[in-house]
Amino acid sequence: MCAESTPSVEGSTTDPALVRTLAAAGLPTTGRFLPKAGWVSRVWVGDEYVVRLNNGRFRDAYRHEATVADLLTDSEVPHARILAHGDGPDGPWSVSERLPGRTLYDAWPMADLHTRRAIIESLGLALRALHRVPAPVGPLPPWLADALAGKSWPAFHPPVVGAALQQVEAARRRPGHDPRLLADVADWIRDRLALFATDELVLVHGDLHGSNVMVDKGHVTGLIDFAEALTQPADVELDTILRWCAKARSTHPPPMNRGSTRPHSSRFPDGCTVRTRSCSRATICANG
C-alpha cells in the first residue's frame, strides 16, 4: 500500500463504503482516515485502524489472513491484529489495528547505515519468530488453491517447492514454447528438489517485501498482509525479499509508483549483503 495524493477526512468519514464497513465492524463512523492505494483493495488508514475493502479479486483473502492471524496470537511475531472481517454490500472487508511507523519501502531511502543494519537485524528476529509458529499444512491462500488446481499462476507470487515441475508442464502446454529450454529447466529443478526434501515446513509470510514491513526508529513494528501466508521451507521466504532487496523500485512497488522513472535509493545492497550459494539457497546478512 502507498498513499495517494488524497486529503485525509477530518471529523467524519464521507465515503459511504467506509462508513458501512466501520459500522459493520462495530466501530465509530467518525474520525480521520487517509485513503491509500492497494493492489486488490481500497484502503483507509485511520489514527487507530486500517480499513480494507476488497475489489473483487481473491474474495477469500481476508478470511485466510484472519485464520493466519489467529495462529500468531500469543506468539512473538510483531503483526497487526485483525479486529474484524466479513462480507458486506461493498464486498469482503477487514479492519486491523494500525501499527506505529512507516513501511520499509518509505523508510529505507532516508535511513542511515546504522538504522538499516538495525532494521535488518530486527526483521531477521521477526522472521525467526514467525517460522517457529506451529502451523498445520494448509489452509492455502485462495490464489494458490486455484493455481494448484490448474488455473493461472501470477509470476510475482512466491514459489511452492513441490509445485515447481507443475509449472514447467503448464509451460509446455503453451503455444510457441522452447522444448529444449523447458527440458533444461525441468532437469535443473529435479537436481535441486532433493535439497528441500528434509526441510521442516514452517509458516512463511509469502509476500515479504518493503510495503509489507512496518518499521519505526530502526525497529520492525510489524509484518502486515498475511493473505499469502502458507507452510513451506523457510528458505522460500527469501525468494520475495531478496528480489525486493535487489530491485526495490521495480519489484512489488506501491501501486502509485508503478511505471515510475524517478531516481530511487531504497535498494538494500549498500546496507546489506546478499550471498547466494551454489545450491541455489540464499542468506541475507548485514555488512560489517
Side-chain angles (χ1 to χ4, degrees), residues 236-282:
V236 168
E237 198 84 91
L238 297 177
D239 176 79
T240 303
I241 190 64
L242 292 183
R243 277 186 285 142
W244 187 80
C245 288
K247 297 182 179 180
R249 193 175 131 228
S250 59
T251 304
H252 296 275
M256 68 174 294
N257 289 340
R258 282 176 288 181
S260 171
T261 57
R262 64 181 175 84
H264 201 287
S265 60
S266 64
R267 294 181 64 184
F268 266 78
D270 56 352
C272 172
T273 300
V274 178
R275 298 173 181 169
T276 304
R277 302 200 296 270
S278 59
C279 65
S280 298
R281 295 188 173 221

Side-chain angles (χ1 to χ4, degrees), residues 24-273:
L27 297 172
T29 57
T30 59
R32 183 180 63 179
F33 287 84
L34 177 66
K36 293 201 171 193
W39 287 103
V40 297
S41 305
R42 298 178 64 187
V43 182
W44 296 270
V45 178
D47 293 333
E48 299 179 62
Y49 316 117
V50 176
V51 180
R52 293 175 294 162
L53 186 62
N54 190 281
N55 65 8
R57 297 181 62 193
F58 311 127
R59 291 186 60 88
D60 292 328
Y62 297 153
R63 186 176 296 110
H64 174 73
E65 184 176 15
T67 299
V68 174
D70 286 343
L71 296 175
L72 304 182
T73 302
D74 298 326
S75 75
E76 297 180 359
V77 181
H79 67 286
R81 292 182 299 117
I82 305 296
L83 303 178
H85 69 97
D87 288 276
D90 302 294
W93 56 267
S94 177
V95 180
S96 58
E97 66 175 340
R98 180 180 178 178
L99 296 173
R102 310 162 61 191
T103 66
L104 180 59
Y105 185 98
D106 291 331
W108 191 262
M110 301 302 296
D112 58 27
L113 183 58
H114 173 77
T115 302
R116 291 183 176 194
R117 288 176 174 171
I119 290 173
I120 294 169
E121 181 177 356
S122 182
L123 179 58
L125 292 173
L127 291 178
R128 280 195 287 272
L130 175 63
H131 299 161
R132 289 196 300 265
V133 172
V137 178
L140 294 173
W143 70 266
L144 179 56
D146 290 342
L148 291 173
K151 297 182 181 180
S152 63
W153 192 303
F156 52 82
H157 287 300
V160 175
V161 174
L165 287 174
Q166 176 182 328
Q167 298 311 299
V168 177
E169 293 305 314
R172 284 177 170 145
R173 294 192 292 270
R174 305 279 295 184
H177 68 269
D178 184 331
R180 292 183 61 183
L181 173 61
L182 292 181
D184 288 345
V185 171
D187 289 341
W188 187 92
I189 292 173
R190 290 190 189 95
D191 288 344
R192 288 158 177 79
L193 282 178
L195 298 171
F196 297 89
T198 60
D199 280 1
E200 177 187 3
L201 295 181
V202 300
L203 183 64
V204 299
H205 181 281
D207 195 23
L208 190 70
H209 54 79
S211 295
N212 283 340
V213 179
M214 299 295 296
V215 299
D216 188 34
K217 299 177 182 178
H219 176 71
V220 172
T221 59
L223 308 178
I224 61 176
D225 191 357
F226 280 85
E228 298 191 39
L230 71 161
T231 50
Q232 281 287 285
D235 290 28
V236 168
E237 198 84 91
L238 297 177
D239 176 79
T240 303
I241 190 64
L242 292 183
R243 277 186 285 142
W244 187 80
C245 288
K247 297 182 179 180
R249 193 175 131 228
S250 59
T251 304
H252 296 275
M256 68 174 294
N257 289 340
R258 282 176 288 181
S260 171
T261 57
R262 64 181 175 84
H264 201 287
S265 60
S266 64
R267 294 181 64 184
F268 266 78
D270 56 352
C272 172
T273 300

